[in-house]
Amino acid sequence: MSRDAAAAIYYEEEWVDDRKEEVKRSEEWMASSNAEREFYRLCAWWELDTRSEPSIAKIIAHPAYREIVALGRAVLPLILVQFQVRPNHWHTALSEITGADPVPADHAGDLAAMAKDWLKWAAENSGTF
Amino acid sequence: MDPVLDKEIPNLDAEFPNLRASNAKRTSEPTPQYNCIAWAAGDTKRKWWPGVGKEAFWPHGVSGKAKVESFIAAYRTKGYSVCADGSFEAGFEKIAIYADGTEPRHAARQVPDRQKWTSKLGNSPDIEHDLADVEGPLYGRPRIFMRRRLPRQTR
C-alpha cells in the first residue's frame, strides 16, 4: 500500500470516529433533553396532585415523585434548582439518588434551610454528578 | 386595600366542596414553608408530620405513626389537652384534629376574637373559616378537640 493510500484510510477512519463521537454526543444530548422534559412534566403532575395533601408520607410516595427519583442523577441539577426556587419535599429524592444527607437534624421540616444545605453540598460535590 | 385579603381563595372545589368565598377569608400568601399541623401548633418555620425523617419536624419522644393518638401527643407538647368540643370558651385557645377514620388529615386552630378557625391548606394560603368548611373527602371531619389556656392579657 502506498503511503498516500495508508494516510487516506487513516483519515477516513478518523473521520468515521469523529462522526461516531458526534452521534454519541447527540444521543446523550437527546437523552438529557428527554429527561428534562420528563422531569418538568412529572413535577407539574406531582405539584398539582399534592397541593392540598397534608400527609408528607403520601406526598413523597406519589407515583410522579417516585418516577422523578427513578430518573436518577440525570435530573439532580434540575431538582437542586427546583428546591431553591420552589422549596418542596426534595430532600428524600436527593438523598435516595445521591446516598448523601447533608441536612442537620435541627433543620428537619424547614424547607428553606434544607434547600441551602443541599446547595452547599452540591457546591462541594459538583465533580460527583 | 389589603393585597392579601383582597385576593380570592384559590379554586379548591374538588378538595373542599363546602368552602365558599362567602364564609371563608384568605389571610396569607401561599407558602410551602409550614403546613396545617405546624400552623395549628403556632409554628410557621417548618412542617410537622410524623415518620418522614427530615422532611418534617416531629416532637421528640412522640410516636412517629400517623395516628390520631400521635397527633394528640404532639400537641400536648405545646400545652394542649383534649377537651369535649370546639365551642368557644373565654380564656382558651382550641385546636381541632380532622381525621378520616383513624388517619389524621388536618388540624385547625381557633381564632377566639373572631369566633372563627384558621387553617393552612397544603401549600395554599391560610384561611379563616368555620369548622365544617374544610370537611370533606380530603380532610375528613373534626374528630378530636384540644385546648390550652391563653396567656392572661396584661393591662
Side-chain angles (χ1 to χ4, degrees), chain B residues 80-151:
Chain B
Y80 287 96
S81 55
V82 174
C83 63
D85 57 39
S87 59
F88 291 90
E89 290 181 58
F92 286 93
E93 180 181 57
K94 293 189 177 183
I95 56 173
I97 301 173
Y98 290 66
D100 184 7
T102 60
E103 184 189 5
R105 300 291 295 159
H106 180 63
R109 174 165 40 91
Q110 264 189 359
V111 186
D113 294 352
R114 293 193 285 284
Q115 306 252 313
K116 284 280 189 182
W117 294 77
T118 177
S119 280
K120 173 86 164 76
L121 305 179
N123 287 340
S124 299
D126 306 336
I127 61 166
E128 274 186 19
H129 60 90
D130 294 322
L131 268 183
D133 293 342
V134 295
E135 285 184 13
L138 189 65
Y139 289 170
R141 297 171 52 201
R143 300 283 183 188
I144 298 289
F145 294 95
M146 300 180 79
R147 71 176 190 176
R148 70 179 174 188
R149 193 172 287 280
L150 285 166

Side-chain angles (χ1 to χ4, degrees), chain B:
Chain B
M1 286 175 66
D2 187 311
V4 170
L5 303 185
D6 288 336
K7 285 182 187 168
E8 288 186 2
I9 294 170
N11 185 352
L12 300 168
D13 289 354
E15 295 101 319
F16 308 105
N18 298 336
L19 197 58
R20 297 282 178 275
S22 55
N23 56 12
K25 184 174 73 171
R26 176 174 166 160
T27 56
S28 79
E29 292 291 354
T31 171
Q33 190 60 25
Y34 55 94
N35 62 355
C36 58
I37 309 303
W39 176 242
D43 188 344
T44 57
K45 297 285 184 197
R46 56 194 172 177
K47 297 201 176 193
W48 286 37
W49 198 263
V52 290
K54 291 174 185 170
E55 288 289 2
F57 167 79
W58 197 241
H60 182 68
V62 175
S63 165
K65 291 185 177 168
K67 299 285 180 193
V68 168
E69 294 74 21
S70 311
F71 282 59
I72 292 170
Y75 286 121
R76 279 207 180 105
T77 68
K78 301 296 282 186
Y80 287 96
S81 55
V82 174
C83 63
D85 57 39
S87 59
F88 291 90
E89 290 181 58
F92 286 93
E93 180 181 57
K94 293 189 177 183
I95 56 173
I97 301 173
Y98 290 66
D100 184 7
T102 60
E103 184 189 5
R105 300 291 295 159
H106 180 63
R109 174 165 40 91
Q110 264 189 359
V111 186
D113 294 352
R114 293 193 285 284
Q115 306 252 313
K116 284 280 189 182
W117 294 77
T118 177
S119 280
K120 173 86 164 76
L121 305 179
N123 287 340
S124 299
D126 306 336
I127 61 166
E128 274 186 19
H129 60 90
D130 294 322
L131 268 183
D133 293 342
V134 295
E135 285 184 13
L138 189 65
Y139 289 170
R141 297 171 52 201
R143 300 283 183 188
I144 298 289
F145 294 95
M146 300 180 79
R147 71 176 190 176
R148 70 179 174 188
R149 193 172 287 280
L150 285 166
R152 286 177 188 236
Q153 299 284 332
T154 50
R155 292 173 188 262

